């Protein structure tokens, strides 16, 4: 099968199979949408052919009336049951790509799955590329190609933002929203069920598309996580990707009814996309703001870009500064030379350190912008002003200051809609993103900074410091009890408390004498994963009588683990597991119930480098607890990174291991210590192991 999507998205000719004269039919809507396409066009209706009116009985008949131009793309507007035969006919007549809009496939139960299998078989046998089913299509304004049953899509302006959406409806919604914000579209494709062409295929195609400068990615399901990550990683090296993932709440049943596929893990998908270099947003408004900026400017890679703010009204400037501070964006004080220059340009009562409050803008406004943007601490400038033609022409001032790709800036223009639209159009033409308000500008700034930070991390890992997939130490075959699991952690260089496995009460008493008190006494059984709930953990045991009481509570005929108590500190949870979509992943959070109750966790795909792993704790909302809170211990990020990277490499090197979890991983004044460890395997697991996994 060819991976080339040119016949799909840049066809020489298009044929509509199932064309209709009834205006409400899909075939009629698609024919109307395609009427403006300047290439070869043909209509097929096997039941009511009318060659005199350009409607033919078959694709082969239509192909003979195109003046020698190929009919590369077949648009199927027939019921699900007829699609496989129509697709085979199109392929036999020379079509190399097809669009199937109809529903009634995998989402429609056994009968629909049968139709889907027939389509897949035809794709496999013919090599034709198929977009859909369950999609409203795609469009390319540059080519005048609107392969969509929404004819209004043909009125969208051509531009340089591409949309790749799981849903055809979202594809159209995002394209219209982007256009309303003053942007144009290079290509917009709804993936639908993705029986053949997936989002990863389209992203790979866009990596070579010179008309596209930024990409919107909307996901509901992911059929192949590693392939998607590889496509995003490749694309983000040359152009930014802004991603919106559905699934924050339980929408699985609705997603199945929509596309016939299961919704993927929302947190894992977001983490994977972020790790691949995408800017991940929470909603479609953020996506539009981010792309309005990233399609025009891109900061140089930088771990902590500095933001400068120039505002002609203090209140909106404070909103911008407040949002930037909440987002952890650095707002440096301007250097002495810059402040001296500003002092010569602005009234003395204005604030000039950053943000720069100009008061009502005057003829010096362009020079203020230029001086602030040129400060060595400023990597990005955010500007707020009202459209006041009698005071300053904001678009001209931005151009006079040289703002744009060489001097990155985002501009907020306030005022009447007609005035704002005129200023925005001129700013966009000059390559300066223009936003609708402080909140939108803050979203654009956050996206630009996030993109720069992620690319800086990638540069630090060039050549990558990720270990090769086979560099980890393999997990021993299971089942593994806690002592065996901790022994394995020791081979990875992960500290664990001193301990003695015991097969009898006498051995337990000998271990107490050896270790001294206090100790933890635990049941030692690989089949018991939740030892505390089973009454199998007793802490602070100091005397022989206390030991006997603990052993009695655990019960006779058991093996025991007698372990030195760790010093006090903060607890984390660190684990690696196999995600069904993305493969090995790493999870880190605070120990106890915080990670579960508040979902305060950081995720990464494995394998990962030590620097990547070391950055995970900084994503936690409660990260302040790891930085010496109230005199507590401080987490050594590099040490944590080494532990997490070693666990990740071990899971990758152990295909039959399902999960390795350290909970808690105690942070003490002496460093990190694994207080408990659980390792489960994918094969031969007990019922309790399967329930835990």
């Amino acid at each position: 099968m060819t991976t080339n999507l040119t016949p799909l998205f840049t066809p020489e000719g298009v044929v509509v199979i199932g064309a209709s004269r009834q205006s409400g039919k899909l075939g009629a809507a698609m024919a109307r949408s395609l009427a403006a396409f300047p290439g070869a066009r043909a209509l097929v209706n096997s039941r009511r052919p009318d060659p005199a009116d350009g409607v033919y009985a078959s694709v082969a008949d239509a192909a003979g009336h195109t003046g020698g131009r190929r009919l590369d793309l077949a648009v199927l507007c027939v019921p699900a049951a007829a699609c496989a035969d129509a697709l085979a006919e199109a392929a036999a007549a020379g079509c190399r790509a097809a669009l199937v809009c109809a529903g009634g496939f995998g989402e429609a139960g056994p009968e629909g799955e049968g139709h889907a299998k027939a389509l897949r078989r035809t794709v496999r046998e013919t090599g034709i590329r198929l977009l859909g089913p369950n999609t409203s299509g795609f469009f390319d304004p540059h080519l005048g190609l609107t392969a969509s049953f929404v004819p209004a899509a043909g009125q969208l302006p051509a531009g340089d933002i591409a949309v790749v959406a799981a849903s055809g409806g979202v594809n159209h919604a995002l394209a219209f929203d982007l256009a309303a914000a003053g942007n144009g579209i290079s290509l917009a494709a709804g993936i639908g069920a993705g029986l053949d062409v997936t989002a990863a295929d389209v992203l790979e195609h866009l990596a070579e598309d010179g008309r596209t400068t930024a990409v919107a990615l909307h996901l509901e399901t992911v059929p192949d996580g590693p392939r998607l990550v590889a496509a995003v990683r490749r694309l983000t090296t040359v152009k930014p990707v802004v991603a919106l993932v559905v699934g924050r709440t339980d929408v699985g049943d609705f997603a199945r009814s929509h596309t016939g596929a299961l919704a993927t893990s929302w947190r894992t998908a977001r983490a994977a996309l972020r790790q691949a270099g995408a800017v991940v947003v929470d909603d479609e408004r953020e996506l539009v703001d981010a792309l309005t900026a990233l399609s025009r400017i891109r900061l140089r890679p930088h771990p902590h870009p500095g933001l400068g703010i120039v505002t002609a009204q203090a209140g909106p400037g404070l909103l911008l500064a407040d949002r930037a501070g909440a987002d952890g964006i650095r707002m440096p004080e301007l250097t002495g030379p810059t402040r001296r220059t500003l002092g010569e340009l602005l009234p003395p009562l204005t604030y000039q350190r950053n943000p720069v409050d100009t008061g009502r803008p005057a003829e010096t406004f362009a020079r203020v912008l230029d001086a602030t943007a040129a400060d060595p601490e400023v990597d990005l400038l955010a500007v707020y002003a009202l459209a006041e033609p009698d005071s300053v022409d904001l678009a001209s001032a931005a151009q006079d200051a040289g703002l744009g790709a060489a001097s990155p800036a985002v501009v907020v223009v306030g005022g009447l809609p007609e005035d704002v639209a005129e200023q925005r159009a001129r700013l966009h033409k000059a390559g300066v993103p223009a936003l609708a308000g402080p909140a939108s500008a803050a979203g654009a700034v956050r996206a630009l900074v996030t993109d720069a930070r992620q690319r800086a991390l990638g540069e630090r890992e060039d050549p990558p410091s990720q270990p090769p997939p086979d560099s980890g130490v393999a997990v021993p075959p299971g089942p593994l009890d806690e002592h065996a699991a901790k022994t394995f952690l020791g081979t990875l260089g992960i500290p664990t408390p001193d301990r003695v496995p015991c097969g009898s009460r006498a051995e337990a008493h000998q271990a107490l004498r050896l270790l001294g008190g206090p100790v933890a006494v635990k049941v030692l059984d690989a089949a018991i994963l939740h030892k505390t709930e089973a009454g199998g953990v007793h802490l602070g045991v100091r005397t022989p009588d206390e030991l006997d009481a603990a052993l009695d509570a655990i019960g006779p005929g058991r093996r025991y683990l007698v372990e030195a108590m760790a010093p006090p500190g903060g607890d984390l949870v660190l684990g690696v597991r196999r995600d069904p979509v993305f493969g090995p992943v790493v999870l880190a959070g605070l120990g106890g119930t915080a990670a579960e109750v508040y979902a305060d966790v950081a995720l990464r795909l494995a394998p990962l480098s030590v620097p990547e792993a070391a950055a995970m704790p900084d994503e936690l909302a409660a990260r302040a607890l790891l930085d010496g809170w109230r005199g507590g211990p401080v987490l050594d990020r590099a040490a944590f990174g080494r532990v997490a990277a070693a666990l990740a490499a071990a899971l990758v090197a152990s295909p039959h291991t399902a999960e390795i979890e350290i909970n808690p991983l105690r942070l003490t004044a002496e460093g990190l210590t694994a207080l408990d460890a659980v390792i489960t395997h994918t094969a031969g697991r007990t019922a309790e192991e399967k329930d835990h996994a």
Side-chain angles (χ1 to χ4, degrees):
M1 179 186 298
T2 178
T3 59
N4 182 14
L5 297 187
T6 299
L8 175 64
F9 294 130
T10 315
E12 194 170 318
V14 183
V15 56
V16 178
I17 301 176
S20 174
R21 287 190 175 88
Q22 299 180 40
S23 61
K25 296 284 189 178
L26 173 62
M30 194 65 74
R32 288 195 302 272
S33 294
L34 288 166
F37 178 57
R41 287 177 289 114
L43 306 177
V44 169
N45 188 319
S46 60
R47 294 182 177 180
R48 297 180 180 84
D50 186 357
D53 199 27
V55 181
Y56 300 94
S58 69
V59 180
D61 288 345
H65 296 81
T66 61
R69 292 177 293 180
R70 290 193 311 266
L71 293 176
D72 289 316
L73 173 62
V75 179
L76 276 57
C77 300
V78 296
C83 278
D85 289 341
L87 185 65
E89 176 195 344
C95 294
R96 298 182 291 163
L99 167 65
V100 177
C101 296
F105 292 88
E107 81 285 2
E111 182 179 3
E113 184 54 39
H115 300 327
K117 287 180 180 178
L119 268 186
R120 290 191 190 97
R121 183 169 55 250
T122 303
V123 167
R124 185 172 59 251
E125 292 172 351
T126 64
I128 195 170
R129 299 310 309 262
L130 172 68
L131 180 64
N134 267 333
T135 177
S136 50
F138 73 93
F139 44 91
D140 182 335
H142 288 279
L143 300 179
L145 173 59
T146 307
S148 161
F149 56 70
V150 182
Q155 300 175 35
L156 287 166
D160 50 15
I161 297 177
V163 180
V164 183
S167 156
V170 171
N171 179 49
H172 286 78
L174 291 179
F176 285 121
D177 284 349
L178 285 163
N183 302 291
I185 305 300
S186 59
L187 175 69
I191 301 301
L195 291 187
D196 174 38
V197 174
T198 64
D201 291 304
V202 182
L203 295 175
E204 290 173 354
H205 172 80
L206 291 170
E208 307 297 331
D209 181 18
R211 303 169 310 171
T212 298
T213 62
V215 178
L217 175 62
H218 162 261
L219 291 176
E220 292 174 355
T221 63
V222 180
D224 187 338
R227 171 116 191 275
L228 176 69
V229 167
V232 172
R233 182 171 284 125
R234 178 192 173 200
L235 183 55
T236 54
T237 61
V238 292
K239 56 194 73 173
V241 175
V242 180
L244 175 62
V245 182
V246 175
R248 186 193 305 262
T249 57
D250 184 9
V251 294
D253 288 342
F254 182 71
R256 270 191 298 276
S257 71
H258 179 45
T259 64
L262 287 170
T264 187
S265 161
W266 179 76
R267 292 188 181 279
T268 304
R270 283 167 59 93
L273 291 169
R274 190 181 295 113
Q275 192 173 344
V279 174
V280 179
V281 296
D282 291 332
D283 56 47
E284 63 277 12
R285 184 67 257 168
E286 284 188 37
L287 180 141
V288 170
D289 294 334
L291 286 163
T292 299
L294 282 166
S295 63
R296 292 173 173 86
I297 58 175
R298 202 176 190 189
L299 304 184
R300 62 184 177 87
H302 195 300
H304 298 291
L307 173 68
I309 297 176
V310 175
T311 179
Q313 284 80 30
L318 284 173
L319 290 175
L320 261 173
D322 188 47
R323 287 289 299 272
D327 290 333
I329 295 171
R330 186 171 65 93
M331 289 181 292
E333 183 172 299
L334 300 179
T335 61
T338 301
R339 295 202 306 272
R340 285 192 291 274
T341 299
L342 293 175
E344 296 171 357
L345 298 172
L346 294 172
L349 294 180
T350 57
Y351 192 82
Q352 300 169 11
R353 293 180 178 273
N354 193 20
V356 176
D357 179 12
T358 67
R360 192 162 189 261
E363 67 278 357
T364 61
F365 196 69
R367 293 160 64 192
V368 171
L369 298 180
D370 183 35
T372 309
D375 189 280
E377 290 294 317
V378 172
D379 301 285
L380 172 65
L381 187 65
V383 182
Y384 181 90
L386 295 174
E388 297 181 275
D390 60 337
S391 174
V392 65
D393 185 323
L394 187 55
S396 295
Q399 289 181 264
D400 291 344
L403 303 186
S407 185
V410 298
V411 175
V412 180
V413 188
L416 293 173
E418 56 270 23
D419 295 334
V420 169
E422 186 266 339
Q423 288 283 322
R424 183 181 66 188
R426 291 172 56 200
L427 286 163
H428 282 180
K429 187 176 181 180
V432 179
L435 286 305
S440 290
V445 167
R446 182 170 56 249
L448 289 163
V449 169
T450 298
D451 178 65
R453 287 173 174 169
Q454 291 176 169
R455 288 161 60 224
L457 179 61
E459 282 192 347
R460 288 202 302 273
E461 306 204 340
D462 187 17
S465 58
Q466 281 193 358
D470 59 352
S471 68
V473 178
V475 176
L480 302 177
D481 59 29
E482 182 181 342
H483 175 62
K486 286 181 173 176
T487 299
F488 174 70
L489 294 185
T491 68
L492 302 180
I494 301 173
T496 58
D498 293 335
R499 62 191 178 277
V500 178
C502 305
S504 66
R505 296 175 74 97
E507 290 180 1
H509 278 276
Q510 183 178 358
L512 177 61
R513 290 191 294 272
L514 175 66
L515 296 173
V519 298
V521 180
K522 309 177 186 180
V523 64
L524 191 59
D525 188 334
I528 301 178
L529 300 182
H530 305 289
K531 295 185 288 293
T532 300
E533 290 86 336
V537 177
H538 300 270
L539 305 177
V541 174
R542 297 176 181 274
T543 67
D545 288 344
E546 290 175 347
L547 176 60
D548 282 332
L551 298 177
D552 289 342
I554 292 174
R558 295 286 195 179
R559 297 180 70 240
Y560 316 107
L561 185 67
V562 180
E563 184 174 68
M565 292 286 291
D571 289 342
L572 298 95
V573 56
L574 176 65
V576 292
R577 65 177 178 83
R578 296 191 183 279
D579 182 84
V581 173
F582 289 96
V585 298
V586 184
L587 178 147
L590 293 183
T593 60
E596 182 177 354
V597 173
Y598 299 108
D600 187 16
V601 296
L603 288 161
R604 292 288 190 282
L605 299 184
L608 77 167
S609 68
V610 170
E612 279 184 307
M616 293 179 71
D618 292 326
E619 294 181 10
L620 302 176
R623 57 188 174 275
L625 298 175
L626 307 175
D627 293 324
W629 179 260
R630 294 189 174 179
V634 177
L635 176 64
D636 181 335
R637 271 26 178 209
F640 177 88
R642 289 190 291 272
V643 171
L647 278 189
L651 185 68
V652 172
S654 310
H656 298 299
T657 298
E659 183 176 11
I660 308 171
E661 181 180 274
I662 304 174
N663 187 16
L665 178 64
R666 173 69 55 84
L667 170 61
T668 73
E670 288 75 37
L672 292 167
T673 302
L675 300 192
D676 194 8
V678 172
I679 298 176
T680 60
H681 294 287
T682 56
R685 289 182 288 171
T686 66
E688 187 173 352
E689 284 180 318
K690 292 177 182 178
D691 179 67
H692 175 79

